[in-house]
Each structure stands twice: as C-alpha cells, then as structure tokens.
Amino acid sequence: MTAVELPAPRRSSLDVVLKVRELGIVLALALLVAVTAISNPRFLSGQSIRDILLGTAILAVLAVGQAVVVITRNIDLSVGSVLGLSAFTVGSLLQNSSGVPVVVALLTGAAVGAVCGGLNGVLVRYGNVPALVVTLGTLYVYRGITYFWAGGQQINADELPGGFLDFGNATLIGVPYLVLIALLVLAITGVVLRNYRVGRELYAMGSSPQAARLAGIAVGRRTVGAFIVSGALAGIAGVLFAARFGTIDAAAGTGYELNVVAAVVVGGVAVFGGSGTVWGAALGALLLTTIGSALAVLEINQFWQQAIVGGLLLLAIGADRLVAVRVAASLKKRGSHVS
C-alpha cells in the first residue's frame, strides 16, 4: 500500500499575516495602556493590573480550549454554559462538603466540562451535524440544566470554604494562582500542539480534512478529543470563576461565547482552520480584557466594548478569508505551472 503524505501546512502568506497580527496585538495593547494611563494614572495601579490579569486568566483558559477546536475547522459556542454548569456543580459540592481540596474541585470541574465537550464532539462527528448548530443547541441545553438545578437560588461566598475563596485571591511571588494555572494550561497545550504528533494531526485536519483522512488520521476520534479538551478547559474556567467571584448563580458565564471566539480569531487562529497558536489566542484574551477595563476607567459606555469586540471579530474573519483566497489562488497557479 502506498503511503499518502499530507500536503504541506498552509504557511507563507497566511502564517505571515497571523504572526503580524500577534505582533499587532502587542502593539495595540501597549498603545491602549499608554493612552489610558495618561488619561487616568489609576489604570496602572496594582489592583487594576491584578483585576485585568484575573479576568484574562479565566478568558484565556476558555480561549485555549476554543483554539484547539477552531484549529480543526470547528467551533464550540457552548463554553459559557459549560463554565456555568461546572461552577454551579463545584459550588454545590463545596457547599455540602467543606473539606474538599482545591485540586479535587478543579478535577471535578474538568470532568463535568469533559462530559459536556464529549457530547458535543460525538454529536458533531457521528451525527454529521455542523459544530455551529450542535454547540448552539447544547449552549441552551447546558444552561437549562443549570437553571433547573439552581431553581432560582444562588451560592453565596459565605457558604463556600474559606480555603477555596483564599485560593481565588492567593498569590505566589506576587502572581495570582489563577494566572499561574492559566499559564500552565497555555504552556502544556502550546507544547502539545507544536511538538507532538496529535497536534500536527489537528492542524492537518483543519487544513484539509480529506487529505487528513487519506493520510490515515483518525479524524473522528481527534474531533471528539478536541471538543473534550475544550469542554474540560471550560470546566476548569468554571472553577476559577467560582473561586474568584465567590457568588455563583445559574447565569454564570452568560455571554462569554462572543468574547472567547473573538479572542481566538483576533489572536490569529484562522476561523477556517489549520493555522494559528494558543499563544495568539491568549494575547487576544488579554487585549479584550484590557479593552473592557480601559473603557470602565475612561467612563465610556460598556456598549462600546461589545461594538469593538464585534468589529475586531469581523475584521479578523475578513482578513483570514482574504488571505486564504489569495493563498488558494497562488497554489492553483503554481499547480498549473507544474503540470
């Protein structure tokens, strides 16, 4: 049997644009911070920076999981609902068992999220239903389960163990634990995607699903696995959410979907799959969190935050599509010359 090789990953023009976009995010962050700090020096206070980092930690964990799915040419819109379900599950567990260690809470949240993500993946793969449709449906299903379970009640900070709440505010050499967890998730996922076969296979699936199948990649299994990773990280984000805010109700995580997708796409992960890094997704999360904080400090209506996020998302998708079309035309032209 003749081995079938995968086509070379889409690099050249598209990868250059994505790298430039990551650099652009860094420059945009620097400019945003400078302008806001000049207008209001309190923006660079210790508490303000801490709040930005804590907010980024939760969004970045979600964005890393979303990036894994988007790289495979799929999308997961249920992450906000999974976060809410995980947060309420862990809150209920801690409410009834005050001696539960934080590690157990994190593992519980990850398990809840992995089950939700696995269901998404199975429906996408074996139901042959587009991921957009499946996860839009499960977004409401998971949220409905949380509302039914909560029954209009909420879990307050005074009902949670002090050790768990301390975890949400504690630091190691000045860096909050939540930020350290986000960095650990980012580093592990980034290394796996870059240096291990499973990561290369996910990129290959996103670049050309047909070629990936011909090359012997278990596309179905990898697709389910990508959704499990996204769900598990959303579950961990739910635990971080509960630890940071202390008060948990059925609406926890509502509206996170747009910010997560925007962070991933603005961060350079091509919405058409096969390109991008989790590092870029994390930078996108930092940019969006900083924008929200800057608007609050400048006393600008929060409506503009949503408008800016939507505008950035449209620009990023448009840029990806334009470059993808040009790369495809270039490859077609090159192929005609070769033939």
Side-chain angles (χ1 to χ4, degrees):
M1 180 177 179
T2 304
V4 179
E5 294 187 0
L6 287 171
R10 284 184 299 166
R11 298 196 182 277
S12 62
S13 301
L14 184 55
D15 276 357
V16 169
V17 169
L18 299 181
K19 289 178 181 178
V20 169
R21 189 186 300 171
E22 291 180 8
L23 177 60
I25 291 176
V26 174
L27 295 176
L29 272 169
L31 180 61
L32 177 63
V33 170
V35 170
T36 308
I38 292 173
S39 176
N40 190 334
R42 290 180 302 170
F43 183 66
L44 292 180
S45 67
Q47 185 60 46
S48 178
I49 294 174
R50 177 187 173 86
D51 289 341
I52 291 174
L53 290 177
L54 289 174
T56 300
I58 297 173
L59 186 59
V61 171
L62 290 169
V64 168
Q66 186 74 245
V68 173
V69 172
V70 174
I71 283 170
T72 67
R73 203 180 287 194
N74 288 293
I75 195 168
D76 186 356
L77 297 179
S78 68
V79 289
S81 297
V82 174
L83 181 153
L85 180 58
S86 169
F88 200 85
T89 300
V90 170
S92 299
L93 174 65
L94 294 173
Q95 190 181 33
N96 298 321
S97 305
S98 58
V100 175
V102 173
V103 173
V104 174
L106 288 169
L107 292 175
T108 301
V112 170
V115 170
C116 295
L119 177 59
N120 288 339
V122 168
L123 291 174
V124 170
R125 172 63 183 90
Y126 298 104
N128 291 319
V129 182
L132 178 68
V133 176
V134 167
T135 57
L136 182 61
T138 54
L139 178 157
Y140 290 106
V141 170
Y142 299 150
R143 183 66 64 190
I145 292 173
T146 309
Y147 270 103
F148 178 78
W149 185 1
Q153 304 297 315
Q154 69 177 25
I155 299 173
N156 298 311
D158 58 3
E159 301 175 86
L160 297 176
F164 181 71
L165 296 176
D166 290 341
F167 163 73
N169 296 293
T171 63
L172 178 65
I173 58 173
V175 182
Y177 281 142
L178 271 61
V179 175
L180 292 175
I181 290 175
L183 290 174
L184 180 62
V185 167
L186 178 62
I188 292 174
T189 310
V191 169
V192 170
L193 288 176
R194 180 179 178 84
N195 299 324
Y196 287 83
R197 178 178 177 179
V198 62
R200 294 192 293 271
E201 289 181 348
L202 293 178
Y203 279 105
M205 289 165 52
S207 295
S208 177
Q210 295 81 6
R213 289 189 182 90
L214 290 173
I217 294 176
V219 173
R221 190 169 60 209
R222 293 289 182 240
T223 298
V224 174
F227 276 99
I228 289 176
V229 170
S230 177
L233 292 183
I236 291 174
V239 181
L240 302 185
F241 181 96
R244 183 191 176 195
F245 296 107
T247 300
I248 313 162
D249 59 21
T254 300
Y256 269 61
E257 296 79 20
L258 173 62
N259 283 345
V260 173
V261 173
V264 169
V265 177
V266 170
V269 181
V271 73
F272 303 103
S275 296
T277 67
V278 293
W279 308 99
L283 280 174
L286 178 59
L287 175 63
L288 296 186
T289 305
T290 305
I291 288 173
S293 298
L295 293 180
V297 169
L298 296 174
E299 298 182 353
I300 297 175
N301 193 308
Q302 285 299 101
F303 160 78
W304 289 107
Q305 179 182 358
Q306 299 177 17
I308 291 171
V309 170
L312 289 173
L313 184 57
L314 290 175
L315 286 173
I317 293 174
D320 284 346
R321 184 57 183 166
L322 179 61
V323 175
V325 168
R326 290 188 175 182
V327 170
S330 175
L331 291 175
K332 184 177 180 180
K333 184 177 180 180
R334 187 183 308 170
S336 65
H337 286 318
V338 172
S339 60

